[in-house]
């Protein structure tokens, strides 16, 4: 079986559409999502519509936690100042059932696929908000393998990573909606469960409409600039 590994979609439906098309062409049967389906960009409703054409499993990232806060009327000014209008718009777009689904996602998910143990998390296995970058030190990299899973899938940094220790793998598929490594596109990964092999992938797409939509948050020029910088 082939499974598409995604993270950090961040309300970017154009990027997600391109990734899902590529995943279908690659023979993927389902999606594992390492959190942050929402946040930053503004098409959370379309993102969920696209996802619901698939079998998918997701955990909640820090932006789902902030969505819960916004929906409860907590820290709205702080969230808007730092992250923009995306969560406000998500709360306006989404149904109560969709909001309930996103805000109650677990912080980690364990499963077994084709005899392989899999952990899906956001920042790290021990902390949803922790950043594990590609250049992290050896001690922290070793800690990512320490729970003994055959595969750990994480996100949060928006940087692709693929590490191997014997037969065990740790992967950050990179960000679908907002890569930060100065290579434009939409990142994801494909896991061949039979071979226990992962390929990191990136799809090109025209992000101009997403860039234009960021005018709503002109106080945060980063939201547009990060999509096109090289």
């Amino acid at each position: 079986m082939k499974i598409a590994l995604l993270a950090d979609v961040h309300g970017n439906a154009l990027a997600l559409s391109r990734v899902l098309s590529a995943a279908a062409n690659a023979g993927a049967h389902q999606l594992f999502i390492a959190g942050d389906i929402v946040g930053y960009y503004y098409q959370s409703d379309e993102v969920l519509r696209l996802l619901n054409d698939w079998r998918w499993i997701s955990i909640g990232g820090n932006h789902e936690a902030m969505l819960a806060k916004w929906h409860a009327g907590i820290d709205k000014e702080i969230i808007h100042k730092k992250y923009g209008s995306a969560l406000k718009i998500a709360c306006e777009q989404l149904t109560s059932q969709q909001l309930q689904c996103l805000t109650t996602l677990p912080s980690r998910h364990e499963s077994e696929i084709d005899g392989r143990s899999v952990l899906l998390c956001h920042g790290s296995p021990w902390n949803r908000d922790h950043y594990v970058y590609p250049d992290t030190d050896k001690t922290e990299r070793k800690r990512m393998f320490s729970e003994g899973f055959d595969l750990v899938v994480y996100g949060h940094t928006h940087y692709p990573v693929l590490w191997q220790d014997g037969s065990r793998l740790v992967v950050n598929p990179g960000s679908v909606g907002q890569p930060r490594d100065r290579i434009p596109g939409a990142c994801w990964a494909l896991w061949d469960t039979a071979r226990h092999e992962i390929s990191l992938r990136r799809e090109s797409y025209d992000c101009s409409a997403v860039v234009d939509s960021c005018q709503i948050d002109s106080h945060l020029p980063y939201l547009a600039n990060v999509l096109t910088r090289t």
Side-chain angles (χ1 to χ4, degrees):
M1 179 165 52
K2 294 180 179 178
I3 297 176
L5 309 177
L6 281 58
D8 300 285
V9 177
H10 283 302
N12 187 338
L14 279 175
L16 179 62
S17 178
R18 184 68 188 92
V19 164
L20 294 180
S21 177
N25 290 337
H29 294 82
Q30 68 181 102
L31 314 173
F32 281 1
I33 307 172
D36 280 5
I37 293 172
V38 298
Y40 289 130
Y41 306 111
Y42 313 104
Q43 290 188 297
S44 296
D45 55 345
E46 179 65 8
V47 162
L48 289 182
R49 188 194 69 77
L50 290 167
L51 290 178
N52 285 335
D53 289 334
W54 288 73
R55 291 172 55 207
W56 58 281
I57 294 171
S58 181
I59 51 87
N62 58 304
H63 282 257
E64 278 75 46
M66 284 190 287
L67 180 67
K69 282 188 172 183
W70 188 285
H71 188 54
I74 300 170
D75 292 340
K76 284 186 173 183
E77 184 176 345
I78 295 170
I79 292 169
H80 180 264
K81 183 177 181 180
K82 186 171 182 179
Y83 298 101
S85 304
L87 297 181
K88 172 182 180 292
I89 292 170
C91 284
E92 295 168 350
Q93 290 175 338
L94 301 179
T95 66
S96 58
Q97 184 177 7
Q98 289 172 322
L99 287 167
Q100 175 73 7
C101 171
L102 291 174
T103 58
T104 59
L105 289 170
S107 61
R108 51 184 278 162
H109 176 83
E110 301 176 20
S111 59
E112 187 169 307
I113 305 291
D114 286 352
R116 309 278 186 182
S117 58
V118 182
L119 173 65
L120 191 60
C121 58
H122 188 58
S124 72
W126 59 91
N127 187 334
R128 176 170 60 190
D129 293 319
H130 186 70
Y131 289 91
V132 181
Y133 287 103
D135 61 352
T136 192
D137 62 45
K138 292 181 180 179
T139 299
E140 186 156 84
R141 184 184 296 198
K142 185 177 180 180
R143 191 178 180 188
M144 293 294 288
F145 291 94
S146 64
E147 295 192 26
F149 289 93
D150 296 306
L151 174 63
V152 174
V153 184
Y154 78 105
H156 197 38
T157 66
H158 299 211
Y159 285 81
V161 157
L162 181 56
W163 295 323
Q164 184 167 2
D165 182 6
S167 63
R168 294 179 297 163
L169 301 172
V170 169
V171 61
N172 184 331
S175 175
V176 172
Q178 192 195 79
R180 294 178 181 170
D181 56 1
R182 296 182 178 271
I183 306 174
C187 296
W188 65 292
L190 186 68
W191 178 36
D192 184 323
T193 65
R195 296 172 178 265
H196 195 39
E197 293 177 350
I198 288 177
S199 56
L200 295 173
R201 305 191 175 203
R202 190 183 309 248
E203 310 303 327
S204 61
Y205 72 103
D206 183 357
C207 66
S208 57
V210 185
V211 169
D212 289 346
S213 72
C214 294
Q215 293 174 8
I216 193 173
D217 285 314
S218 58
H219 69 293
L220 295 172
Y222 170 81
L223 293 179
N225 295 342
V226 69
L227 295 174
T228 57
R229 67 183 184 182
T230 57

